[in-house]
Amino acid sequence: MKYIFVTGGVVSSLGKGLAAASLGTLLERCGLRVTLQKFDPYLNVDPGTMSPYQHGEVYVLNDGAETDLDLGHYERFVDCRLSRLNNLTSGQVFESVLHKERRGDYLGKTVQYIPHVTDEIKKRLYDVTEANDVDVIITEIGGTVGDMEGHIFLEALRQFALEAGRGNVCFIHVTLLPYIKAAGEQKTKPTQQSVARLREIGIQPDIIICRTERDVSEEERRKIAMFCNVEPKNVIAFRDVKNTIYEGPLDLNRDKIDRIVCKRLGLAVPPPDLDDWLSFVDHVVNPEHAVRVAVVGKYISLQDAYKSIYESFTHAGAAHDCRVEIVRVDAQSIEEDGADAHLRGMDGILVPGGFGDRGIEGKILAAQYARERRIPFLGICLGMQIAVIEFARHILALESANSTEFDPETPFPVICLQEEQKHLKTMGGNMRLGACEAEIKPGTLCGKLYGRVIVSERHRHRYEFNPEYRARMEKAGMVISALSREQGLVEVIELPSHPFFIACQYHPEFQSRPNHPHPLFSGLVEAAMAQKAL
Ligand code: GLN
């Protein structure tokens, strides 16, 4: 097994995750089996309890793990299926160490950062090795070298490199080369200093990836190489992607990073075959068609809150040779100005998932607008619950219909808690989480889109379609097009009287991939193109 560790220096938001994922793409296309994991030094056990304002999207895995959004990049850039082992936080490390201490596992010893905490971190590396039949594991360390909270992870990696054999380990440090306009120069000093901090801990990076707006000149490479103690060819330029993040692997490939990594790790493999990736990127960058789709949400100002949804549109658009221009609409502004002011002229409307009651009425207005104006609509999770509430209010004339999440006293609880959720007192990790199978009714729009009867999709929610209202809704024209296989819960609804109105309780965005768009997104883009042509 070969290990690649990716650390970051100088500033956060460097695109370390993208660099790690892009390297994964290249190595996979050299014929290697690759998996990725992330170590996050914060104290939350997982990001599931964090606000999107703190953390961006929570990415959900098949096994129900609520993880960092970088794991979304990993699954999109590399053909791997990740599990809860692939995201380790300080919170998990300490939870486990303290649990062992209380149980008496340490046999009277003083429990210490070294070796007990570092052992716990290394254990995860060994566990991931055991659980994955792969050739290479890429581990990204969250945060910036020099942060106090990340120090213990780096110490664990230093120890691990000795145990695994230095020939099996490659350290990559991602840094920033800031361009100082007044001097007309790109500065290498922050890179030198952050590598110096890494070396203080006992880690000598093998490769330096320099995030840069421009390029890295030969002279700059030589300078960085000398001060950071690496060969000049091991200084890699990672330019700001111009059009799409999917250019990341192509950019890293210019400096032949895969050759350097494979040589370092003694892997004899051919250069990467990037044909399908190139053609995907070409479709993303130069599409023939264009549509405008509104995403009506609560965290619209945040770039990262609906990350996987935006990526899913990129995948679905590329498959249809179509640019999907996403118009981010704040649900509350619809409450203030009315739906028409924000949604007129849209070729499609998507209402994504969410929690809490802010913006709910605006989302309901958006669903009503889509239904009445016959604009293609996709509702996801909360978006499906919204569509059900809207239908109950305006078609069944149950005016105060609601979800008990937003109005516990509603006389018409069309969305409500499942029995087993009612008694929970804590918040972390106890929603309906992860993949489960749904059975699709043949002949429905959903059935046509998937072309299959059994599908497996990922969930993250507490509330459900209330079965007591099912018959009335169906009588009024709603089709329940998929039910969960085990519990018979409503998974997908649609309106056959509408050109494209479909909503699902699960999160299709977590399983969309470049060159494998998700059928529901693909369907929405196709319907939006048809709508535009009207
Ligand atoms: N808040 C809703 C629930 O818990 C929807 C969750 C979501 O959209 N992810 O059921």
Side-chain angles (χ1 to χ4, degrees):
M1 182 71 70
K2 306 292 181 182
Y3 299 89
I4 299 171
F5 296 119
V6 180
T7 54
V10 185
V11 290
S12 58
S13 305
L14 263 180
K16 224 180 335 142
L18 183 58
S22 298
L23 176 61
T25 307
L26 292 176
L27 295 179
E28 180 167 75
R29 281 163 166 71
C30 293
L32 294 165
R33 293 166 307 162
V34 182
T35 193
L36 291 110
Q37 67 174 339
K38 175 116 194 245
F39 286 176
D40 277 312
Y42 52 70
L43 283 170
N44 302 62
V45 171
D46 62 42
T49 52
M50 278 191 238
S51 147
Y53 286 115
Q54 290 284 310
H55 193 270
E57 166 184 278
V58 173
Y59 188 78
V60 181
L61 304 178
N62 272 344
D63 66 2
E66 299 174 274
T67 69
D68 187 83
L69 57 79
D70 274 319
L71 276 82
H73 286 316
Y74 303 165
E75 284 199 334
R76 288 187 281 267
F77 277 66
V78 175
D79 188 21
C80 55
R81 278 281 164 273
L82 305 177
S83 79
R84 62 179 66 252
L85 290 178
N86 296 65
N87 194 188
L88 178 69
T89 66
S90 291
Q92 289 168 27
V93 172
F94 289 118
E95 189 183 42
S96 169
V97 168
L98 293 177
H99 180 69
K100 287 181 182 165
E101 187 273 336
R102 291 288 83 182
R103 214 167 49 191
D105 289 10
Y106 295 115
L107 304 175
K109 290 205 184 78
T110 306
V111 182
Q112 295 182 299
Y113 274 87
I114 302 172
H116 302 108
V117 174
T118 47
D119 279 354
E120 198 64 39
I121 296 170
K122 287 187 286 178
K123 179 173 180 305
R124 183 58 70 90
L125 281 160
Y126 291 116
D127 287 350
V128 168
T129 308
E130 210 167 279
N132 286 277
D133 191 15
V134 294
D135 306 307
V136 182
I137 295 176
I138 303 175
T139 306
E140 176 193 351
I141 322 302
T144 306
V145 168
D147 295 347
M148 196 171 83
E149 55 181 17
H151 202 98
I152 196 69
F153 282 91
L154 298 174
E155 167 58 20
L157 299 190
R158 182 194 68 76
Q159 296 174 15
F160 182 85
L162 282 179
E163 290 170 23
R166 198 56 184 86
N168 295 320
V169 176
C170 178
F171 281 101
I172 300 182
H173 191 54
V174 185
T175 75
L176 176 73
L177 291 193
Y179 179 75
I180 307 292
K181 230 191 202 159
E185 266 182 57
Q186 199 153 248
K187 292 297 185 186
T188 64
K189 183 84 78 192
T191 298
Q192 298 171 33
Q193 288 180 340
S194 96
V195 170
R197 298 213 66 167
L198 209 46
R199 289 164 67 190
E200 246 168 53
I201 304 169
I203 294 175
Q204 166 62 54
D206 301 294
I207 295 172
I208 316 273
I209 295 183
C210 300
R211 181 73 189 272
T212 151
E213 277 173 49
R214 326 183 149 227
D215 220 325
V216 187
S217 68
E218 279 314 307
E219 198 194 326
E220 284 162 344
R221 279 179 213 254
R222 271 199 302 276
K223 194 166 166 190
I224 294 168
M226 186 177 68
F227 279 103
C228 300
N229 199 25
V230 299
E231 285 182 55
K233 69 170 175 34
N234 290 18
V235 177
I236 308 283
F238 194 33
R239 283 147 286 244
D240 290 356
V241 287
K242 274 200 233 42
N243 306 292
T244 159
I245 55 168
Y246 298 102
E247 289 173 342
L250 306 177
D251 192 38
L252 281 184
N253 191 38
R254 295 213 320 194
D255 283 337
K256 306 258 174 309
I257 191 171
D258 59 286
R259 295 297 88 192
I260 298 165
V261 167
C262 289
K263 185 156 173 242
R264 173 77 190 73
L265 295 173
L267 294 164
V269 286
D273 174 358
L274 289 164
D275 286 353
D276 65 329
W277 199 268
L278 276 164
S279 103
F280 168 71
V281 168
D282 186 48
H283 279 108
V284 175
V285 179
N286 304 305
E288 214 186 302
H289 312 281
V291 291
R292 293 213 301 163
V293 176
V295 174
V296 182
K298 173 170 160 187
Y299 304 105
I300 274 318
S301 58
L302 280 177
Q303 183 71 21
D304 284 345
Y306 305 112
K307 187 105 201 151
S308 295
I309 289 185
Y310 300 148
E311 295 309 319
S312 301
F313 274 122
T314 302
H315 308 155
H320 289 93
D321 211 4
C322 179
R323 182 185 314 284
V324 181
E325 188 202 324
I326 292 166
V327 181
R328 303 177 192 194
V329 179
D330 179 353
Q332 273 182 306
S333 66
I334 294 188
E335 291 169 14
E336 283 151 27
D337 315 324
D340 195 53
H342 294 280
L343 299 176
R344 192 185 318 133
M346 294 296 155
D347 306 312
I349 295 173
L350 181 141
V351 177
F355 296 84
D357 55 10
R358 183 163 66 79
I360 290 299
E361 294 301 322
K363 291 179 190 173
I364 294 174
L365 287 170
Q368 182 180 13
Y369 190 84
R371 182 177 56 75
E372 291 178 352
R373 308 282 170 121
R374 303 177 67 75
I375 301 169
F377 176 88
L378 174 59
I380 294 179
C381 202
L382 176 66
M384 180 190 105
Q385 301 175 356
I386 289 291
V388 171
I389 297 169
E390 192 279 317
F391 191 87
R393 287 190 189 174
H394 304 124
I395 302 291
L396 298 185
L398 307 175
E399 228 171 89
S400 48
N402 215 329
S403 160
T404 52
E405 181 179 8
F406 316 125
D407 179 5
E409 307 302 327
T410 172
F412 309 114
V414 289
I415 305 291
C416 63
L417 276 184
Q418 271 179 278
E419 264 320 299
E420 57 265 39
Q421 291 283 348
K422 285 188 183 155
H423 314 292
L424 292 172
K425 297 267 181 297
T426 56
M427 289 297 267
N430 56 22
M431 286 186 255
R432 180 176 178 221
L433 285 166
C436 84
E437 288 191 338
E439 187 163 346
I440 301 176
K441 205 190 240 172
T444 57
L445 170 62
C446 182
K448 270 184 230 122
L449 292 172
Y450 277 99
R452 271 183 295 149
V453 177
I454 303 296
V455 299
S456 169
E457 295 282 5
R458 299 181 189 175
H459 296 73
R460 181 174 188 249
H461 65 114
R462 287 203 169 81
Y463 294 81
E464 299 284 350
F465 186 115
N466 184 348
E468 281 176 28
Y469 289 88
R470 216 180 122 176
R472 283 159 85 180
M473 302 247 183
E474 284 176 316
K475 211 165 147 223
M478 179 182 280
V479 165
I480 311 284
S481 38
L483 295 175
S484 72
R485 263 186 116 183
E486 270 180 23
Q487 294 167 284
L489 301 166
V490 172
E491 293 278 29
V492 183
I493 61 142
E494 59 189 68
L495 300 179
S497 58
H498 186 286
F500 188 96
F501 193 106
I502 189 161
C504 52
Q505 187 55 75
Y506 48 76
H507 290 271
E509 71 272 25
F510 295 142
Q511 297 203 86
S512 174
R513 304 283 178 262
N515 288 324
H516 296 283
H518 192 282
L520 296 186
F521 278 89
S522 203
L524 178 64
V525 169
E526 207 177 337
M529 290 168 78
Q531 164 80 12
K532 190 180 175 185
L534 282 183

